[in-house]
Amino acid sequence: MATARPGWSRRAQYGLFFSFIAVIAGIVVGLILLTLSLVAPETFQRVRGVALDVTSPITGGLSEVAATAEGLFSGAGNYWDAASQNAELKRERQAMLRRMVEAKAIFQENRQLKATLELREHARTTVAVGRVVGSSFNSPRRFAILSAGSSDGVKVGMPVRSPDGLIGRIIDAGSIASRVLLVSDRANIVPARLLRNGIPVIAQGRGDGTIDVRPLEVGRNPFKRGDIIITSGTGGLYPPLVPIGRVVKLDDDGAVALPLADPANTSFAIVEPAFEPTAVAADAATAATDKP
Amino acid sequence: MVRAALTPTRRIGQAPSRYATLVPAITVVAAALLAALPIISMTGWYPDFGYLVFIGWRLLRADPWPAWWAAPLGFVNDLFTGYPLGFSVALWSATMLALDLIDRRTMWRDYRTEWVLAAVLIAIDQWLQWRIAKLVDAAPPLSQMAPPLVISICVFPLFAWLISRIDAWRLGR
């Protein structure tokens, strides 16, 4: 295709011409696909799911190897200085036991209070448990690959958390792997509140592994360094009281927080059903009718 | 000395690989598959491996694959990397077209011009990714795109060298 003038041969001239047409067709098809995948992302869910399943044995297998190698090194590191570590752990354990007794008392009191208020308790169910095995490391978006898919019951839109905090929500589901939109992605906006005083805030990713938090009411900056941000359960997608991040830096009308659940260090991630599916469905319906 | 110079470096029976015409496309798919590596990064500073290898081949040779292969190769890259489907299809086809037009204009090329050309193409790739993220309100500030751009440009010569080795191997040189 590169030859400027293929000579007098008609055949060569036509070949050149048709290869130009083919490339232009490629561009047009690409633009159509791109528009479709931006306007109606659900169009390609099946294809994306299949691609996730194809790569998941590679990702899963290699992450197994990496985890083993890392385990060997950190395991050897733990033997180093074991005696002082042991003493420190014992001290920590004592402190934890005291805190646990306190927590149990609070838990009981809480249950009694809830019973008097007759609050309907939401049963927390787990859909699937997987590991975070990969990420979108060459893109400005923040996605992670989870080693659980629709064969485990995972569906698009379900929230994902780890024992430490919120990870994100499912956006593509293959049958054995799925893609998670992390809380640190710009497109992920989580209704949240401050653990300290319950002030409602909005958490939005910043695309570089951190989260931007802003108060809903404009005015005084309610954040302090070290504040914990938790989900509020508003909107019905994410369950309430899941820790999201810890404030590390203040800016003029909000703050920057670090996610508490670091996808690189979480041993496993839990997929939960949408907190209140009816609310999410209603939201989606209104969004669909709003769109012309 | 003379005898050494006369000794042929080629081994007898050494010929182009049987799949010589497929090797470039296969390496592009393999590079796209690098996105499946279990790297969990929170910054996204790794290069777009598929595109680096793609332009590496195209800058080395005018016809590593029939021009229309750019579209399916881009589709494979989109699937494995999680870019919006169609992004690499359009960009890679447009790259083939642009480089053909540039090939008609340029009188000579050397290593530095190729690197500059590659740098421009990589910058376009990164900027378009940022632009498309902006369309869905997910774009970081543009300054955050600088580190991956610099990394990709610095890494390109390594890929170009690897590709030239693979090219020599597939042609049995």
Side-chain angles (χ1 to χ4, degrees):
Chain A
M1 175 169 170
T3 333
R5 202 176 288 271
W8 297 105
S9 156
R10 281 274 169 207
R11 205 184 125 125
Q13 283 170 6
Y14 282 139
L16 187 65
F17 177 69
F18 285 126
S19 75
F20 263 110
I21 297 291
V23 172
I24 290 166
I27 297 174
V28 171
V29 168
L31 288 177
I32 291 170
L33 285 178
L34 185 57
T35 320
L36 261 179
S37 58
L38 289 178
V39 176
E42 63 279 359
T43 321
F44 300 116
Q45 250 163 28
R46 183 69 58 79
V47 191
R48 288 199 163 280
V50 170
L52 274 171
D53 289 341
V54 169
T55 52
S56 107
I58 310 171
T59 315
L62 285 177
S63 94
E64 211 62 76
V65 174
T68 310
E70 208 182 298
L72 283 180
F73 283 108
S74 61
N78 283 345
Y79 278 104
W80 192 264
D81 208 21
S84 73
Q85 251 185 36
N86 195 6
E88 197 179 326
L89 285 174
K90 271 182 183 157
R91 247 194 331 273
E92 264 178 28
R93 182 169 161 273
Q94 287 302 323
M96 293 291 259
L97 272 178
R98 280 196 293 276
R99 294 273 294 279
M100 214 160 80
V101 173
E102 274 173 41
K104 265 184 187 160
I106 293 171
F107 184 68
Q108 264 187 0
E109 192 189 352
N110 198 0
R111 205 160 52 187
Q112 284 166 358
L113 288 172
K114 268 188 179 166
T116 53
L117 285 172
E118 290 183 347
L119 270 181
R120 190 165 55 88
E121 192 78 56
H122 279 283
R124 277 278 172 84
T125 49
T126 300
V127 173
V129 176
R131 284 174 305 120
V132 176
V133 290
S135 71
S136 61
F137 52 79
N138 50 13
S139 144
R141 304 295 302 275
R142 296 275 67 80
F143 303 129
I145 311 287
L146 187 72
S147 67
S150 55
S151 62
D152 308 294
V154 175
K155 287 198 184 70
V156 173
M158 286 180 167
V160 183
R161 56 169 300 182
S162 80
D164 303 322
L166 191 67
I167 291 180
R169 66 165 192 266
I170 305 283
I171 52 159
D172 287 323
S175 69
I176 51 172
S178 48
R179 189 172 276 119
V180 183
L181 182 74
L182 296 173
V183 282
S184 53
D185 187 274
R186 283 249 163 193
N188 203 348
I189 298 170
V190 186
R193 58 191 163 95
L194 272 172
L195 182 62
R196 183 160 47 83
N197 47 18
I199 291 179
V201 297
I202 287 282
Q204 184 183 15
R206 282 161 52 90
D208 59 351
T210 57
I211 302 168
D212 197 55
V213 280
R214 316 232 152 260
L216 273 183
E217 292 161 25
V218 184
R220 236 181 83 253
N221 192 338
F223 299 103
K224 277 187 199 157
R225 280 190 57 176
D227 269 350
I228 302 288
I229 314 289
I230 56 171
T231 54
S232 63
T234 318
L237 173 59
Y238 298 107
L241 299 176
V242 180
I244 303 173
R246 195 182 62 245
V247 171
V248 288
K249 203 178 92 188
L250 300 184
D251 47 31
D252 41 0
D253 57 343
V256 177
L258 269 181
L260 284 170
D262 178 8
N265 290 326
T266 47
S267 43
F268 58 94
I270 306 157
V271 184
E272 289 181 354
F275 182 57
E276 271 176 1
T278 46
V280 178
D283 269 4
T286 50
T289 48
D290 284 349
K291 211 177 274 178
Chain B
M1 294 291 270
V2 177
R3 194 175 288 271
L6 285 174
T7 320
T9 48
R10 287 184 62 139
R11 281 181 289 111
I12 291 172
Q14 195 172 15
S17 156
R18 267 176 71 192
Y19 305 104
T21 48
L22 290 178
V23 165
I26 290 169
T27 54
V28 171
V29 172
L33 264 174
L34 286 180
L37 286 178
I39 302 169
I40 299 166
S41 153
M42 283 298 103
T43 48
W45 286 0
Y46 286 78
D48 182 357
F49 295 113
Y51 192 58
L52 282 188
V53 172
F54 180 83
I55 56 176
W57 274 108
R58 180 58 190 78
L59 288 173
L60 182 70
R61 298 198 165 271
D63 55 347
W65 41 67
W68 65 271
W69 284 21
L73 286 173
F75 189 73
V76 168
N77 191 50
D78 281 339
L79 282 180
F80 290 155
T81 51
Y83 296 153
L85 271 190
F87 171 74
S88 300
V89 177
L91 175 70
W92 292 18
S93 298
T95 306
M96 286 300 279
L97 195 62
L99 284 177
D100 277 331
L101 296 179
I102 289 170
D103 274 350
R104 289 168 170 233
R105 297 273 181 277
T106 44
M107 293 289 113
W108 47 269
R109 288 250 284 267
D110 69 353
Y111 188 69
R112 265 169 292 177
T113 33
E114 296 222 332
W115 196 4
V116 170
L117 212 52
V120 170
L121 288 172
I122 291 165
I124 291 173
D125 174 34
Q126 297 277 347
W127 183 79
L128 282 176
Q129 280 193 39
W130 177 81
R131 197 69 198 74
I132 279 167
K134 202 174 168 64
L135 280 182
V136 287
D137 287 331
L142 195 54
S143 59
Q144 254 182 49
M145 299 302 288
L149 176 63
V150 173
I151 291 171
S152 295
I153 291 173
C154 293
V155 153
F156 177 76
L158 179 70
F159 279 84
W161 173 79
L162 261 177
I163 287 163
S164 72
R165 300 294 306 183
I166 294 171
D167 192 44
W169 164 78
R170 79 167 173 137
L171 297 174
R173 296 218 171 113

